[in-house]
Amino acid sequence: MLQNLTGWHALIILGIVILIFGAAKLPALARSVGQSLRILKAEAQTVEAEAPVAASSAPDSASANTAPASTAPAPASAALRAD
């Protein structure tokens, strides 16, 4: 989808952004986008750092997630009966 974009497309998009937000607000907009990306990157690194710790402290998940066989749902034919 984005393979067909050229330099002219970027200029048109930039022009539309300037018309919508105005030239005065563009530096603040760029600053807030940069700050959001820094926060996202820091949070992603935090999650990656905590993931091995959480995986090693978790109990055996294979036995904890198995449900007994008696919890099967009722047959659909019982729900369709009209008495």
Side-chain angles (χ1 to χ4, degrees):
M1 181 174 133
L2 297 176
Q3 297 94 355
N4 297 331
L5 292 180
T6 63
W8 288 109
H9 292 108
L11 287 174
I12 292 171
I13 291 171
L14 180 64
I16 292 172
V17 168
I18 289 174
L19 286 174
I20 292 174
F21 293 107
K25 291 188 179 183
L26 286 181
L29 180 66
R31 191 177 307 117
S32 67
V33 168
Q35 184 179 18
S36 298
L37 289 176
R38 280 192 298 272
I39 292 171
L40 179 65
K41 183 179 176 183
E43 291 295 325
Q45 289 174 349
T46 303
V47 168
E48 285 180 2
E50 292 176 355
V53 173
S56 64
S57 65
D60 184 22
S61 61
S63 63
N65 291 336
T66 57
S70 62
T71 60
S77 62
L80 296 176
R81 275 190 277 165
D83 289 299

